[in-house]
Amino acid sequence: DMGGHDTYMHKEIHEQADAVDRALRGRIDDRFSTVHLGGLNLDARDARAVRRVKILGCGTSYHAGQIGAQMIEELARIPADAEPASEFRYRNPVVDPDTLYIAVSQSGETYDVLAAVQELKRKGARVLGLVNVVGSAIARETDGGIYVHAGPEVCVVSTKCFTNMVVAFGLFALHLGRTRDLSVADGKRIIEGLRKLPAQIEEILANEAQIEKLAAEYADAKSMMFIGRVRGYPVAREASLKLKEVSYIHAEAYPASELKHGPLALIEPAMPTVAIVPDDDLLEKNRAALEEIKARSGRILAVAHREQEKADHTIVVPKNEDELDPILMGIPLQLFAYYTAKAMGRDIDKPRNLAKSVTVE
Ligand code: F6R
């Protein structure tokens, strides 16, 4: 039942405020400015013993993991990174007993992720799951984990589950941080930020008419560049994937800092750029990148916390805490991908060549 929406993608994009609310419910502990994660199976001593975090997932879940790794580094100051599970399992990885591994998956059935989990378990590693489907294979094979609570996702292309995964990583990073050096005040600041998310998501979705117009404006592009820096880079990667999957427009994602090392050669009027420009300590750096693009006559659509002069258009999103901004900045670009695909008459819920869960090699 699509409840008045024309596609599941549109419905699921609009379910995000409720989904995030569900991910937070019953988990926040105001007394100690931390969160309780029931099935984690990692006590404070275990949490303190973690020297590294390695996050494994595929596609959109891998991108959620990239944001998660940054959150863990920022809030818990533990070195963390994400890698496609499909690559990890084929490269005979060094498995380290002091590393905490996290397998991320909507379906909990993706074969590349499951195989990575099994290889890790066989080598004695501690593996947690960050999974949406309760009781799925990956949820069962991991030592514990965090349920994403996005609810059922029907559209092949992931939207609300991505957002909830990033929220779940925020909760986990806060929890790890509060077992280590994150102060009560910072814990409180993050909790307040998390609580603001559902209303801020509604605010972004209320701006749908502007995004629909912008999609029409850019739908003639043969190819699009997506850029972001540090927190914004995985957001750019995910937005680029979303556009390719549903519209079949070619898109590339690059760190804004890497533009001058090559891809700037592609910039011309027929190659528009979508830029993630948060109001954080890198704002001036990002503005400089916009200037470089403008100097090559590139069209720019910015997603930012305030109007960007150098951009042709800006989608303004509400500001949260710096560490949590990536949760919100991709949401308008889900709608951008949806409206672009719709204008092109694509089969939005079932893009060609794709399946909802990839349970084969
Ligand atoms: C993209 C998408 C895929 C999945 C990937 C992993 O919109 O849906 O990239 O994210 O196949 O699937 P799960 O999360 O089920 O392991």
Side-chain angles (χ1 to χ4, degrees):
D1 174 25
M2 290 197 259
H5 297 272
D6 66 340
T7 53
Y8 280 104
M9 184 178 184
H10 192 262
K11 174 172 184 261
E12 288 160 3
I13 289 172
H14 279 268
E15 285 171 346
Q16 292 180 107
D18 282 347
V20 168
D21 192 57
R22 217 164 30 242
L24 301 179
R25 206 172 303 152
R27 285 171 160 175
I28 293 174
D29 172 357
D30 286 301
R31 192 152 90 95
F32 294 104
S33 295
T34 187
V35 289
H36 285 301
L37 298 166
L40 208 52
N41 205 13
L42 188 81
D43 66 22
R45 221 173 263 268
D46 297 333
R48 297 275 329 196
V50 173
R51 304 286 288 272
R52 249 177 193 288
V53 178
K54 179 80 170 178
I55 300 168
L56 302 166
C58 295
T60 288
S61 298
Y62 161 56
H63 294 154
Q66 282 196 303
I67 299 174
Q70 291 190 14
M71 287 173 161
I72 290 167
E73 287 210 354
E74 289 193 272
L75 298 178
R77 301 306 291 159
I78 304 172
D81 76 323
E83 183 178 340
S86 46
E87 285 284 285
F88 178 84
R89 60 180 285 239
Y90 284 116
R91 66 173 178 82
N92 192 21
V94 177
V95 173
D96 165 20
D98 300 326
T99 298
L100 175 67
Y101 294 85
I102 305 180
V104 195
S105 177
Q106 187 287 126
S107 60
E109 305 290 342
T110 300
Y111 189 74
D112 280 323
V113 184
L114 183 61
V117 169
Q118 287 167 341
E119 178 71 359
L120 282 166
K121 298 285 305 173
R122 204 182 53 73
K123 291 181 171 170
R126 184 192 284 274
V127 194
L128 299 182
L130 196 134
V131 171
N132 192 42
V133 177
V134 176
S136 55
I138 295 165
R140 278 183 277 117
E141 297 236 8
T142 42
D143 300 306
I146 307 160
Y147 277 120
V148 172
H149 294 314
E153 193 177 63
V154 177
C155 178
V156 164
V157 162
S158 181
T159 54
K160 67 169 176 171
C161 191
F162 170 79
T163 300
N164 264 40
M165 280 172 173
V166 183
V167 170
F169 272 117
L171 294 171
F172 182 62
L174 170 60
H175 169 79
L176 271 186
R178 289 287 297 125
T179 63
R180 303 163 85 105
D181 298 320
L182 191 75
S183 68
V184 172
D186 272 328
K188 197 157 176 269
R189 178 175 68 77
I190 297 298
I191 287 173
E192 279 166 12
L194 289 166
R195 284 207 170 105
K196 278 188 207 152
L197 289 170
Q200 291 183 320
I201 292 172
E202 294 295 9
E203 216 180 298
I204 292 169
L205 298 177
N207 197 19
E208 186 159 4
Q210 184 209 3
I211 300 167
E212 181 173 8
K213 270 204 214 109
L214 287 171
E217 186 103 19
Y218 288 87
D220 62 330
K222 290 272 171 298
S223 183
M224 289 186 87
M225 181 70 82
F226 286 75
I227 60 167
R229 200 182 290 263
V230 190
R231 297 187 191 105
Y233 175 50
V235 175
R237 293 189 77 183
E238 173 55 14
S240 151
L241 176 63
K242 229 64 319 168
L243 184 73
K244 308 189 239 272
E245 285 181 301
V246 288
S247 74
Y248 315 148
I249 292 178
H250 171 254
E252 292 220 33
Y254 259 94
S257 53
E258 282 284 298
L259 269 185
K260 57 181 171 298
H261 299 293
L264 206 49
L266 294 170
I267 300 298
E268 46 123 358
M271 175 86 159
T273 300
V274 174
I276 312 299
V277 190
D279 254 14
D280 59 14
D281 52 343
L282 296 171
L283 180 61
E284 289 316 313
K285 289 272 168 209
N286 283 321
R287 283 195 172 142
L290 300 190
E291 252 168 74
E292 285 176 20
I293 294 165
K294 261 295 92 77
R296 275 94 186 162
S297 322
R299 280 189 290 166
I300 303 172
L301 168 58
V303 177
H305 294 122
R306 56 178 126 143
E307 214 61 46
Q308 294 302 308
E309 277 165 39
K310 294 286 164 201
D312 298 274
H313 304 95
T314 307
I315 300 172
V316 176
V317 296
K319 178 84 184 87
N320 199 296
E321 296 303 320
D322 289 352
E323 299 91 333
L324 303 180
D325 282 332
I327 300 170
L328 296 171
M329 298 195 87
I331 292 176
L333 296 171
Q334 298 172 344
L335 282 171
F336 181 78
Y338 163 82
Y339 278 111
T340 305
K342 188 170 155 145
M344 298 173 94
R346 302 303 194 208
D347 188 355
I348 292 175
D349 281 339
K350 290 194 177 65
R352 68 187 180 200
N353 310 340
L354 301 179
K356 183 66 181 160
S357 70
V358 184
T359 53
V360 293
E361 293 259 345

Coordinates of all heavy atoms in Angstrom, one line a residue, residues 210-226 243-244 246-251 269-274 299-301 313 335-346:
Q210 N 10.5 23.2 -4.4 CA 11.7 23.8 -4.9 C 12.6 22.7 -5.5 O 13.2 22.9 -6.6 CB 12.5 24.5 -3.8 CG 13.7 25.2 -4.3 CD 14.9 25.3 -3.3 OE1 14.9 24.8 -2.2 NE2 16.0 26.0 -3.7
I211 N 12.7 21.6 -4.9 CA 13.6 20.5 -5.3 C 13.0 20.0 -6.7 O 13.8 19.7 -7.6 CB 13.7 19.4 -4.3 CG1 14.3 20.1 -3.0 CG2 14.6 18.3 -4.8 CD1 14.3 19.2 -1.8
E212 N 11.7 19.8 -6.8 CA 11.1 19.4 -8.0 C 11.5 20.3 -9.2 O 11.9 19.9 -10.3 CB 9.6 19.3 -7.9 CG 8.9 18.8 -9.1 CD 7.4 18.5 -9.0 OE1 6.8 18.8 -7.9 OE2 6.9 17.9 -9.9
K213 N 11.4 21.6 -8.9 CA 11.8 22.6 -10.0 C 13.2 22.5 -10.3 O 13.6 22.5 -11.5 CB 11.5 24.0 -9.4 CG 10.1 24.5 -9.7 CD 10.1 26.1 -9.7 CE 8.8 26.6 -9.2 NZ 8.9 27.2 -7.9
L214 N 14.1 22.3 -9.3 CA 15.5 22.2 -9.6 C 15.8 20.9 -10.4 O 16.7 21.0 -11.3 CB 16.3 22.2 -8.3 CG 16.4 23.5 -7.6 CD1 17.0 23.4 -6.2 CD2 17.2 24.5 -8.4
A215 N 15.1 19.9 -10.1 CA 15.4 18.6 -10.9 C 15.1 18.8 -12.3 O 15.8 18.4 -13.2 CB 14.5 17.5 -10.3
A216 N 14.0 19.6 -12.6 CA 13.7 19.9 -14.0 C 14.8 20.7 -14.7 O 15.1 20.6 -15.8 CB 12.3 20.6 -14.1
E217 N 15.3 21.6 -13.9 CA 16.4 22.5 -14.4 C 17.6 21.8 -14.8 O 18.3 22.2 -15.7 CB 16.7 23.5 -13.2 CG 17.7 24.6 -13.5 CD 17.0 25.9 -13.7 OE1 15.8 26.1 -13.2 OE2 17.6 26.8 -14.3
Y218 N 18.0 20.7 -14.1 CA 19.2 20.0 -14.3 C 19.0 18.7 -15.1 O 20.0 18.0 -15.4 CB 19.9 19.7 -13.0 CG 20.5 21.0 -12.3 CD1 19.8 21.8 -11.5 CD2 21.8 21.3 -12.6 CE1 20.3 22.9 -10.9 CE2 22.4 22.5 -12.1 CZ 21.6 23.3 -11.2 OH 22.1 24.4 -10.7
A219 N 17.8 18.4 -15.4 CA 17.5 17.0 -16.1 C 18.2 16.9 -17.4 O 18.3 15.8 -18.0 CB 16.0 16.8 -16.1
D220 N 18.6 18.0 -18.0 CA 19.2 17.9 -19.4 C 20.7 17.5 -19.3 O 21.3 17.2 -20.3 CB 19.2 19.2 -20.1 CG 19.9 20.3 -19.3 OD1 20.0 20.3 -18.1 OD2 20.4 21.3 -20.0
A221 N 21.2 17.4 -18.1 CA 22.7 17.0 -17.9 C 22.9 15.6 -18.4 O 22.1 14.7 -18.1 CB 23.1 17.2 -16.5
K222 N 24.0 15.4 -19.1 CA 24.4 14.0 -19.5 C 25.2 13.4 -18.3 O 25.2 12.2 -18.2 CB 25.3 14.1 -20.7 CG 24.7 14.5 -22.0 CD 24.1 13.2 -22.7 CE 23.2 13.6 -23.9 NZ 22.1 14.5 -23.5
S223 N 25.8 14.2 -17.5 CA 26.6 13.8 -16.5 C 26.7 14.8 -15.4 O 26.6 16.0 -15.7 CB 28.0 13.5 -17.0 OG 28.9 13.0 -16.1
M224 N 26.8 14.4 -14.1 CA 26.9 15.4 -13.0 C 28.0 15.0 -12.1 O 28.3 13.9 -11.9 CB 25.5 15.4 -12.2 CG 24.4 16.1 -13.0 SD 22.9 16.3 -12.0 CE 23.2 17.8 -11.3
M225 N 28.6 16.1 -11.5 CA 29.7 15.9 -10.5 C 29.1 16.2 -9.1 O 28.3 17.2 -9.0 CB 30.7 16.9 -10.9 CG 31.9 16.9 -10.0 SD 32.9 15.5 -10.3 CE 33.9 16.0 -11.7
F226 N 29.4 15.3 -8.2 CA 29.0 15.6 -6.8 C 30.2 15.8 -6.0 O 31.1 14.9 -6.0 CB 28.2 14.4 -6.3 CG 26.8 14.3 -6.8 CD1 26.6 13.9 -8.1 CD2 25.7 14.7 -6.0 CE1 25.3 13.8 -8.6 CE2 24.4 14.6 -6.5 CZ 24.2 14.2 -7.8
L243 N 21.3 9.2 -7.8 CA 21.0 9.7 -9.1 C 21.2 8.7 -10.2 O 20.3 8.5 -11.0 CB 21.8 11.0 -9.3 CG 21.4 11.7 -10.7 CD1 20.0 12.4 -10.5 CD2 22.4 12.7 -11.1
K244 N 22.4 8.0 -10.2 CA 22.7 7.0 -11.2 C 21.6 5.9 -11.2 O 21.1 5.5 -12.2 CB 24.0 6.3 -11.0 CG 25.2 7.1 -10.7 CD 26.4 6.1 -10.8 CE 27.1 6.1 -9.5 NZ 28.2 7.2 -9.4
V246 N 18.5 5.7 -10.1 CA 17.1 5.9 -10.5 C 16.9 6.6 -11.8 O 15.9 6.5 -12.5 CB 16.2 6.5 -9.4 CG1 15.9 5.6 -8.3 CG2 16.7 7.8 -8.9
S247 N 17.9 7.5 -12.2 CA 17.7 8.3 -13.4 C 18.5 7.8 -14.5 O 18.2 8.1 -15.7 CB 18.0 9.8 -13.1 OG 19.5 9.9 -13.1
Y248 N 19.5 7.0 -14.2 CA 20.5 6.5 -15.2 C 21.4 7.6 -15.8 O 22.0 7.5 -16.8 CB 19.9 5.7 -16.4 CG 18.9 4.7 -16.0 CD1 17.8 4.3 -16.8 CD2 18.9 4.0 -14.7 CE1 16.8 3.4 -16.4 CE2 18.0 3.1 -14.4 CZ 16.9 2.8 -15.2 OH 16.0 1.9 -14.9
I249 N 21.4 8.8 -15.1 CA 22.3 9.9 -15.5 C 23.7 9.5 -14.9 O 23.7 9.2 -13.7 CB 21.8 11.2 -15.0 CG1 20.6 11.7 -15.7 CG2 22.9 12.3 -15.2 CD1 20.0 13.0 -15.2
H250 N 24.7 9.6 -15.7 CA 26.0 9.4 -15.1 C 26.4 10.4 -14.1 O 26.2 11.6 -14.3 CB 27.1 9.3 -16.3 CG 28.5 9.3 -15.7 ND1 29.3 10.4 -15.7 CD2 29.1 8.3 -15.1 CE1 30.4 10.0 -15.1 NE2 30.3 8.8 -14.7
A251 N 26.9 10.0 -13.0 CA 27.3 10.9 -12.0 C 28.6 10.4 -11.3 O 28.9 9.2 -11.2 CB 26.3 11.0 -10.9
P269 N 29.8 23.9 -19.0 CA 28.4 24.1 -18.7 C 27.5 22.8 -18.8 O 26.6 22.7 -18.0 CB 28.0 25.1 -19.8 CG 29.2 25.8 -20.1 CD 30.4 24.8 -20.0
A270 N 27.9 21.8 -19.6 CA 27.1 20.6 -19.7 C 27.3 19.6 -18.5 O 26.7 18.6 -18.5 CB 27.4 19.9 -21.0
M271 N 28.3 20.0 -17.6 CA 28.6 19.1 -16.5 C 28.3 19.8 -15.2 O 29.2 20.4 -14.6 CB 30.1 18.6 -16.6 CG 30.6 17.8 -15.4 SD 30.2 16.1 -15.7 CE 31.4 15.3 -14.6
P272 N 27.1 19.9 -14.7 CA 26.8 20.6 -13.5 C 27.4 19.9 -12.3 O 27.6 18.7 -12.3 CB 25.3 20.6 -13.4 CG 24.8 19.8 -14.6 CD 25.9 19.2 -15.4
T273 N 27.6 20.7 -11.2 CA 28.1 20.1 -10.0 C 27.1 20.3 -8.9 O 26.5 21.4 -8.7 CB 29.4 20.9 -9.6 OG1 30.4 20.7 -10.6 CG2 30.0 20.4 -8.3
V274 N 26.9 19.3 -8.1 CA 26.1 19.4 -6.9 C 27.1 19.4 -5.7 O 28.0 18.5 -5.6 CB 25.2 18.2 -6.7 CG1 24.5 18.2 -5.3 CG2 24.1 18.1 -7.8
R299 N 27.9 24.9 -13.9 CA 26.7 25.3 -13.1 C 26.8 24.6 -11.8 O 27.3 23.5 -11.7 CB 25.4 24.7 -13.9 CG 25.0 25.6 -15.0 CD 23.6 25.1 -15.5 NE 23.7 23.8 -16.2 CZ 22.7 23.0 -16.5 NH1 21.5 23.3 -16.1 NH2 22.9 21.9 -17.1
I300 N 26.3 25.2 -10.7 CA 26.4 24.7 -9.4 C 25.1 24.7 -8.6 O 24.4 25.7 -8.6 CB 27.4 25.5 -8.5 CG1 28.8 25.5 -9.2 CG2 27.5 24.9 -7.1 CD1 29.8 26.4 -8.5
L301 N 24.7 23.5 -8.1 CA 23.6 23.4 -7.2 C 24.2 23.1 -5.8 O 24.9 22.0 -5.7 CB 22.7 22.3 -7.6 CG 21.6 21.8 -6.7 CD1 20.7 23.0 -6.2 CD2 20.8 20.7 -7.3
H313 N 22.1 27.8 -7.7 CA 21.0 27.5 -6.9 C 21.4 26.9 -5.6 O 22.5 26.2 -5.5 CB 20.0 26.5 -7.5 CG 19.6 26.9 -8.9 ND1 20.2 26.4 -10.0 CD2 18.6 27.6 -9.3 CE1 19.6 26.9 -11.1 NE2 18.6 27.7 -10.7
L335 N 15.3 13.4 -2.9 CA 14.1 14.0 -3.7 C 14.6 14.4 -5.1 O 13.9 14.3 -6.1 CB 13.5 15.1 -2.9 CG 12.6 14.7 -1.8 CD1 12.2 16.0 -1.0 CD2 11.3 14.0 -2.3
F336 N 15.8 15.0 -5.1 CA 16.3 15.4 -6.4 C 16.4 14.3 -7.4 O 16.0 14.3 -8.5 CB 17.7 16.1 -6.2 CG 18.4 16.6 -7.4 CD1 18.0 17.8 -8.0 CD2 19.4 15.9 -8.0 CE1 18.6 18.3 -9.1 CE2 20.0 16.4 -9.2 CZ 19.6 17.6 -9.7
A337 N 17.0 13.1 -6.9 CA 17.1 11.9 -7.7 C 15.7 11.4 -8.1 O 15.5 11.1 -9.3 CB 17.9 10.8 -7.0
Y338 N 14.8 11.4 -7.2 CA 13.4 10.9 -7.5 C 12.8 11.8 -8.6 O 12.2 11.2 -9.5 CB 12.6 11.0 -6.2 CG 11.1 10.9 -6.4 CD1 10.5 9.7 -6.6 CD2 10.4 12.1 -6.4 CE1 9.1 9.7 -6.8 CE2 9.0 12.1 -6.7 CZ 8.4 10.9 -6.9 OH 7.0 10.8 -7.1
Y339 N 12.8 13.1 -8.4 CA 12.1 14.0 -9.4 C 12.8 14.0 -10.8 O 12.2 14.1 -11.8 CB 12.0 15.4 -8.9 CG 10.8 15.5 -8.0 CD1 11.0 15.7 -6.6 CD2 9.5 15.4 -8.5 CE1 9.8 15.8 -5.8 CE2 8.4 15.4 -7.6 CZ 8.6 15.7 -6.3 OH 7.5 15.7 -5.5
T340 N 14.1 13.8 -10.8 CA 14.8 13.7 -12.0 C 14.4 12.4 -12.8 O 14.0 12.4 -13.9 CB 16.4 13.6 -11.8 OG1 16.7 14.8 -11.1 CG2 17.1 13.6 -13.1
A341 N 14.3 11.3 -12.0 CA 13.9 10.0 -12.6 C 12.5 10.1 -13.1 O 12.1 9.6 -14.1 CB 14.1 8.9 -11.6
K342 N 11.6 10.8 -12.3 CA 10.2 10.9 -12.6 C 10.1 11.7 -13.9 O 9.3 11.3 -14.8 CB 9.5 11.6 -11.5 CG 8.0 11.5 -11.6 CD 7.3 12.0 -10.4 CE 6.0 12.6 -10.7 NZ 5.0 12.3 -9.7
A343 N 10.8 12.8 -14.1 CA 10.7 13.6 -15.3 C 11.1 12.8 -16.5 O 10.7 13.0 -17.6 CB 11.6 14.8 -15.1
M344 N 12.0 11.8 -16.3 CA 12.5 11.0 -17.4 C 11.7 9.7 -17.6 O 12.1 8.9 -18.4 CB 14.0 10.6 -17.1 CG 14.9 11.9 -17.0 SD 16.6 11.4 -16.5 CE 17.3 11.3 -18.1
G345 N 10.7 9.5 -16.8 CA 9.8 8.4 -17.0 C 10.4 7.0 -16.6 O 10.1 6.0 -17.1
R346 N 11.4 7.1 -15.6 CA 12.0 5.8 -15.2 C 11.2 5.0 -14.3 O 10.2 5.5 -13.6 CB 13.3 6.2 -14.4 CG 14.3 7.0 -15.2 CD 14.8 6.4 -16.5 NE 15.9 7.1 -17.0 CZ 16.2 7.2 -18.3 NH1 15.4 6.6 -19.2 NH2 17.3 7.8 -18.7

